[in-house]
Amino acid sequence: MSGSIRHQLCLDAGPAAAGEASLWVRMRAEQHQLPDEWSEGLDLAAVELVANICDYGYRGRQGEIRLMLELSHTRTEFTLEDDAPAFDPSQAPPPQKATSLDDAQIGGLGIFLVRQMSQSFVYERTGSSNRLVVGFGDPAIASRGLDRRQADEPGTDAQEPECGAERRIAMDRRQLAVISSSPLFIGVPYDEIEGALKACPIVSYRPGAIVRSAGNRPSSVGLLLSGVLAGHVGQIDGAPNFEIQANECFGEMSVADGKPASAWLVAATECSVLEIDADIFLHQVLTVPRIGRNLIVILSDRARRHGEEMAHRARVESELGALQRELDFAERIQASMLPLAPIFPDEPRLDCVGHMHAARQVGGDFFEALPLDADRYLVAIGDVCNKGMPAALFMTQTLTMLRGSAARGISDPELDLEVLARQGNDLLCQGNSEHLFVSLFIAVIDLKSERLRYVNAGHNPPWLLATGSAPSLITHPRNPVAGMIPGLTYKSGSVAFPRGSLLLLYTDGVTEAENVATEQFGDERLAALVSEPPASAQALVARIVAAVDAFAGAAAQADDITLLAAHFK
């Protein structure tokens, strides 16, 4: 063709060849602004003819497919060459209309559709190669294309004519080409659906528009030509339960059985839907044997997918049930590892009360209270980073370390808390591949000497309510958290702890508890609660827990909440 532009592409015959050819011709068509009718025909020819060469020419063997696209203002020619055995697609007979579902055959329409959409379809055998030239051209379209280009040039007054009847017919055929790729109409010749569908409107929906309402009886079957529909079962709010993609149909079951729609369908993107009137669908569309067979296949696939989804859901529910039982068991085990009330029931001088509420079924917070001898008692609190099962297991390891140290302290009147912290840190570092760590506050209350010795490994400073003094925080010395870096040294401290004194240990889940406005409970609110003289350790813990719960309200608990109070009565 004179004044034409040529593009060439060489493909390896294989499963991806048809897709590569389709992408190539669509890119070239867009690049040169070809009419939509030609673009659709080129795309169909690329997919069907290249797939035909791979499947029936080379039959899975290696081979080469050479494509050439030659474009001019009035015509486009698409040439395919291959070295497979000779086959003349121009002589392939048109498909026979089926008279019943049993006679309907799947496939065999690709070449026939290309021949219908093209202006010319010429085959020749040259040497050992097949050569097929498919031409697309239309005088009316070509003249409008020339007018378009002339209008862009200076000094011309050409106007694009309005679309006439031929344009509308061409547009209808283009829409039918899209519709025919739907699973419902696949393999159905144009002349069997054109009459039934030509009066059916194509409706556009903006994102968020309701396409179908649950509980209503639809008056049409929808075929989604473009876009995505989100399906909501039960409530329209929330995440969708399923999606409908382009070329899928919906509403055919409600139209067939007369029952209301079971789900809401909402446009997730810009959508274009062919609305097929219920009477047309039942009395004209379904009377085509091939369409009836396609519908059976569609419904069978849906039933199969539904069955698979139900089986998957049953497996998931079973696994979740087993996991829930394991978590319940782990929760009971973790609760049993903490000191049970009453703590130190045989020691009337020391009132000790603990409380832990995990954010999940199992948590990383803990508290400990152990007697060392008749006058010395070890109390501790800890907060493992992270939540859930990993934190609970690391918490168990930390408690085991503490209890081993306490056992040694029973025979050691001068239990060295600095050595205890250093050795405990080294033990927690061993095999800690998940890089967990724990903040700890460990104290020994000596009721005979009325002193409190302690070591703080990166934990919140506790409150000391000493007799005759205002409540104060024990802030020094402060050391790194345990479990991250081996070989660390820790410094301990000591303060007076006369009769009437109260020690309050807590984790950051108390001060960092949030309300629905994401405001934190904070240190100041805790300080105000501590400043009021408590009647007992139990009264102080109950007061703080109630205040935190009232502050949080309906907000979800984000962290474990743990307290331990020891009162030297």
Side-chain angles (χ1 to χ4, degrees), residues 224 227-233 238-250 263-269 271 302 305 309:
L224 185 61
V228 178
L229 294 178
H232 300 262
V233 178
N241 302 100
F242 61 91
E243 287 186 346
I244 295 178
Q245 303 290 335
N247 288 346
E248 294 185 18
C249 56
F250 53 89
W264 298 83
L265 295 181
V266 180
T269 64
C271 291
R302 286 184 187 172
R305 288 199 303 269
E309 290 171 0

Side-chain angles (χ1 to χ4, degrees), residues 67-303:
L67 308 180
M68 184 175 69
L69 198 58
E70 191 168 5
L71 307 102
S72 73
H73 290 179
T74 57
R75 183 175 173 81
T76 292
E77 287 187 351
F78 181 40
T79 303
L80 302 92
E81 293 184 351
D82 64 83
D83 302 319
F87 173 70
D88 185 357
S90 65
Q91 300 302 315
Q96 298 296 317
K97 291 185 180 180
T99 57
S100 67
L101 287 178
D102 293 333
D103 294 335
Q105 300 294 321
I106 297 175
L109 291 174
I111 293 176
F112 175 71
L113 292 175
V114 174
R115 283 161 52 182
Q116 270 200 323
M117 295 187 68
S118 61
Q119 188 188 48
S120 62
F121 194 89
V122 179
Y123 167 82
E124 63 177 345
R125 179 75 177 180
T126 305
S128 59
S129 299
N130 296 302
R131 177 183 173 88
L132 179 64
V133 181
V134 184
F136 296 90
D138 183 287
I141 295 173
S143 65
R144 288 197 299 275
L146 288 172
D147 287 341
R148 245 183 236 115
R149 289 169 174 80
Q150 291 168 357
D152 293 335
E153 295 174 2
T156 60
D157 298 320
Q159 298 293 324
E160 181 174 342
E162 296 181 357
C163 297
E166 186 174 347
R167 175 65 176 178
R168 290 195 295 273
I169 293 172
M171 181 63 71
D172 291 341
R173 293 182 68 82
R174 183 173 63 86
Q175 292 170 353
L176 286 171
V178 177
I179 293 167
S180 67
S181 63
S182 166
L184 182 63
F185 297 108
I186 194 74
V188 179
Y190 283 140
D191 57 357
E192 295 194 32
I193 60 175
E194 189 170 6
L197 301 183
K198 64 181 180 181
C200 297
I202 294 177
V203 183
S204 297
Y205 295 92
R206 293 182 177 179
I210 297 175
V211 180
R212 290 289 189 273
S213 299
N216 291 346
R217 291 183 175 85
S219 59
S220 62
V221 174
L223 174 61
L224 185 61
L225 301 179
S226 64
V228 178
L229 294 178
H232 300 262
V233 178
Q235 298 295 326
I236 194 171
D237 298 329
N241 302 100
F242 61 91
E243 287 186 346
I244 295 178
Q245 303 290 335
N247 288 346
E248 294 185 18
C249 56
F250 53 89
E252 66 281 358
M253 290 301 297
S254 294
V255 166
D257 60 20
K259 294 181 179 179
S262 59
W264 298 83
L265 295 181
V266 180
T269 64
E270 291 279 352
C271 291
S272 179
V273 177
L274 174 70
E275 298 286 359
I276 308 173
D277 181 78
D279 287 338
I280 293 177
F281 182 78
L282 292 173
H283 301 114
Q284 297 184 50
V285 173
L286 283 187
T287 56
V288 178
R290 181 56 184 269
I291 294 178
R293 187 174 204 173
N294 288 345
L295 182 59
I296 292 174
V297 172
I298 291 171
L299 297 180
S300 298
D301 287 342
R302 286 184 187 172

